[in-house]
Amino acid sequence: MIIYPAIDLKDGKPVRLTKGDFATTEQVADNALDTARAFEQSGATHLHMVDLDGALEGRPVNGAIVREVAQNTDLFVEIGGGIRTAETVEYYLNDIGVDRVILGSVAIKDPAFAKDMIAAHGAKIAIGIDAKDGKASGGGWLDDSDVDFIELARLMCEAGAQTIIYTDISKDGTLAGPDLTGLAALATAIPADIIASGGVATIDDVKAIAALGLSGVICGKSIYKGTLSLPEAISCQK
């Protein structure tokens, strides 16, 4: 299981939200590159990034900062937020140099496009499924849908998706523990690698996710708030 420390970008700065509410935006570090390098020095090999401005505007906004991180660290970088066209996918993969692009809202609204991107780029495409009350949500978590999150995951896996990133919005940024029930249900429903996100607070949460046999876990606020030691979490990687 791989530990993915997280950097979410809003107005060019690393921030954290609570339950996806932009009114709760809290700056947690001075800049992304120094933060990424600190993660790397702590032993991290992978990094999860989200362009929150991009998620709202439907286009890359903080691309220059993502480029700085991708080109000045040895981290495996995945990026999500506002990726809704083939040009944006190619921009991140080819111009910016990230290792994986996360398709979120567009997988709900235009599954055919998501399937095309999976066909074109294979393992470099992950599907991000953010759920609220069991239904997928998009548009920076502002747009609810009637799409069951497990059915969406199945559809994307049938199209060849190899990685699903699952976030329970009600848990995200709360430090209240992950949605182990939803993660377990997803793990039994699909063959893809699953990365857990949302609610992770302590090393026990990391161990509980590892016990489900998932491929990764994203740790954000817990690292910034000090409830989780990144080196200790990384020691759980296997």
Side-chain angles (χ1 to χ4, degrees), residues 4 76 78 100-103 118 122-129 153 156-157 160-166 186 190-196 215-216:
Y4 292 78
F76 177 105
E78 63 180 23
R100 187 160 61 204
V101 164
I102 304 163
L103 301 182
I118 293 167
K124 292 184 178 181
I125 300 294
I127 301 299
I129 299 179
M156 292 296 103
C157 288
Q162 299 179 35
T163 302
I164 301 292
I165 300 171
Y166 169 70
L186 189 60
I190 63 171
D193 289 340
I194 298 170
I195 299 174
S215 71

Side-chain angles (χ1 to χ4, degrees), residues 35-92:
T35 303
R37 284 175 168 164
F39 290 157
E40 192 170 28
Q41 289 168 4
S42 293
T45 56
H46 291 61
L47 178 67
H48 176 82
M49 300 189 75
V50 178
D51 181 353
L52 292 173
D53 297 303
L56 291 174
E57 297 191 23
R59 62 178 182 84
V61 176
N62 291 292
I65 297 172
V66 178
R67 182 199 304 273
E68 188 176 35
V69 171
Q71 296 185 357
N72 291 283
T73 70
D74 292 322
L75 295 164
F76 177 105
V77 177
E78 63 180 23
I79 178 69
I83 302 171
R84 300 174 191 173
T85 68
E87 290 76 16
T88 300
V89 171
E90 291 164 6
Y91 163 75
Y92 275 121

Side-chain angles (χ1 to χ4, degrees), residues 146-192:
D146 293 324
V147 180
D148 181 84
F149 80 95
I150 289 181
E151 290 307 312
L152 178 60
R154 284 184 176 137
L155 179 66
M156 292 296 103
C157 288
E158 289 171 0
Q162 299 179 35
T163 302
I164 301 292
I165 300 171
Y166 169 70
T167 304
D168 181 338
I169 296 172
S170 70
K171 297 280 191 177
D172 194 70
T174 65
L175 301 178
D179 176 20
L180 296 175
T181 301
L183 288 166
L186 189 60
T188 61
I190 63 171

Side-chain angles (χ1 to χ4, degrees), residues 15 33 93 189 227:
V15 304
L33 180 57
L93 292 176
T227 64

Side-chain angles (χ1 to χ4, degrees), residues 189-228:
I190 63 171
D193 289 340
I194 298 170
I195 299 174
S197 174
V200 172
T202 68
I203 192 64
D204 287 340
D205 292 332
V206 174
K207 291 177 179 178
I209 290 169
L212 294 176
L214 306 188
S215 71
V217 55
I218 295 168
C219 305
K221 185 173 285 189
S222 58
I223 296 173
Y224 294 106
K225 294 296 186 182
T227 64
L228 176 67

